[in-house]
Amino acid sequence: MKLGELETHPAADAFPLLRGVEFDELVADIKAKGLFEDVVLHKGKILDGRNRELACSAAGVEPRYRTRDDVDPIGYVVSVNLHRRHQNLDQRALSASKLAGMPRGRPRKSGKDAGVLTQREAAELLDVGERTVRVAGAVLKRAAPEVVSAVEEGLLSLAAAAELAKLPADEQREKLIASLEADTKRGRGAIVRRDVKPSNDEQPRDPGAVLLRAAQRALTQLGATVRRRGHELVIGYASAEWVLELRAGAERAA
């Protein structure tokens, strides 16, 4: 994507832009108070702040920039967006599917290509099940753009979008409109939504995994390279490598 004279980083494009009232509120806030948070660039591309860049243009305010070439772009984007946005599981699955297959941000010490982010790794970063990410990938591949946008805006479930994606594009749009306009007890999206029980991989994760994910995001923001190895984090920083292991304390005797 290109915003004015600047390209956006592919990792940033994995998350949808603000629309409607949310974007209008951002424009009004920047027009009244100025830009508080700089637009972040990575190797000349917008890594974080696409909405701020667009809002500055709409508000007639000159944006400010700072460069972070020292960070893993995927980890950085995921960290700031998960803290800033309140995405539901379906929305996170779409973002994870877009991130899967992207090159990792930093080469290994050997100098060899670090490879691409796997689907499982993307699922872990966004805290969703791998199977849900696969469903999201099928939706991105086969669904009409309007259907994908409806999921991104939280108007349609991913399960409903997957059902629509099986139809020709014109039928997808017709059923989507009917679904979003429906006034039923089950709410919008009910016409094409199926009752689906959560799969095993969508059950709550154990506390250790939750803490490790939080640590991984924080370390990435500091510019460290982080990779998962079971319940360990292998951290590369300042030409050194550490292993962070999480162990649960022993249960107290009754």
Side-chain angles (χ1 to χ4, degrees):
M1 181 187 297
K2 191 168 185 179
L3 299 181
E5 297 181 358
L6 291 172
E7 294 282 346
T8 57
H9 194 283
D13 291 334
F15 291 85
L17 290 166
L18 294 180
R19 299 182 176 95
V21 174
E22 285 185 307
F23 180 73
D24 293 341
E25 289 177 347
L26 179 60
V27 172
D29 186 71
I30 289 176
K31 185 179 291 186
K33 305 173 185 176
L35 180 64
F36 286 161
E37 189 174 356
D38 296 348
V39 176
V40 178
L41 304 180
H42 180 82
K43 297 183 178 178
K45 295 182 178 181
I46 297 177
L47 183 63
D48 176 54
R50 297 170 305 152
N51 292 298
R52 299 193 294 278
E53 174 84 5
L54 290 170
C56 280
S57 177
V61 173
E62 188 70 23
R64 298 187 312 274
Y65 303 96
R66 61 188 174 96
T67 298
R68 291 297 307 269
D69 288 345
D70 59 327
V71 298
D72 165 30
I74 293 176
Y76 186 90
V77 165
V78 169
S79 179
V80 296
N81 278 280
L82 285 185
H83 283 87
R84 184 184 298 145
R85 298 193 180 196
H86 302 285
Q87 289 188 306
N88 64 32
L89 185 145
D90 292 346
Q91 293 167 326
R92 298 199 310 273
L94 283 179
S95 294
S97 182
K98 293 176 184 179
L99 289 172
M102 286 188 186
R104 290 188 178 89
R106 293 185 175 194
R108 295 171 180 160
K109 286 187 176 181
S110 63
K112 295 181 180 179
D113 186 356
V116 299
L117 193 73
T118 66
Q119 200 170 61
R120 174 170 292 182
E121 290 170 334
E124 289 179 347
L125 279 175
L126 273 298
D127 196 18
V128 295
E130 188 177 357
R131 192 172 83 171
T132 306
V133 176
R134 288 197 295 269
V135 173
V139 168
L140 288 171
K141 185 177 180 180
R142 302 186 182 96
E146 295 88 344
V147 174
V148 176
S149 293
V151 178
E152 289 179 333
E153 293 179 44
L155 301 176
L156 192 71
S157 72
L158 189 62
E163 289 297 297
L164 285 177
K166 299 174 183 178
L167 303 172
D170 288 344
E171 289 187 42
Q172 289 185 41
R173 296 184 181 95
E174 290 175 5
K175 285 188 173 289
L176 174 66
I177 292 171
S179 178
L180 297 183
E181 291 179 348
D183 184 13
T184 70
K185 291 182 180 179
R186 295 174 64 199
R188 290 183 296 182
I191 289 178
V192 292
R193 184 178 294 138
R194 295 185 303 171
D195 290 323
V196 181
K197 294 182 179 180
S199 61
N200 290 334
D201 62 359
E202 302 307 336
Q203 300 302 320
R205 309 287 181 86
D206 65 272
V210 173
L211 286 173
L212 280 173
R213 282 193 296 273
Q216 184 176 11
R217 292 165 191 156
L219 289 165
T220 299
Q221 280 193 296
L222 293 174
T225 58
V226 184
R227 58 187 173 89
R228 292 282 296 273
R229 188 171 67 191
H231 270 203
E232 295 178 340
L233 294 183
V234 181
I235 306 161
Y237 186 74
S239 301
E241 189 170 272
W242 291 268
V243 175
L244 176 65
E245 181 181 5
L246 183 68
R247 292 183 180 179
E251 292 184 3
R252 295 181 179 180

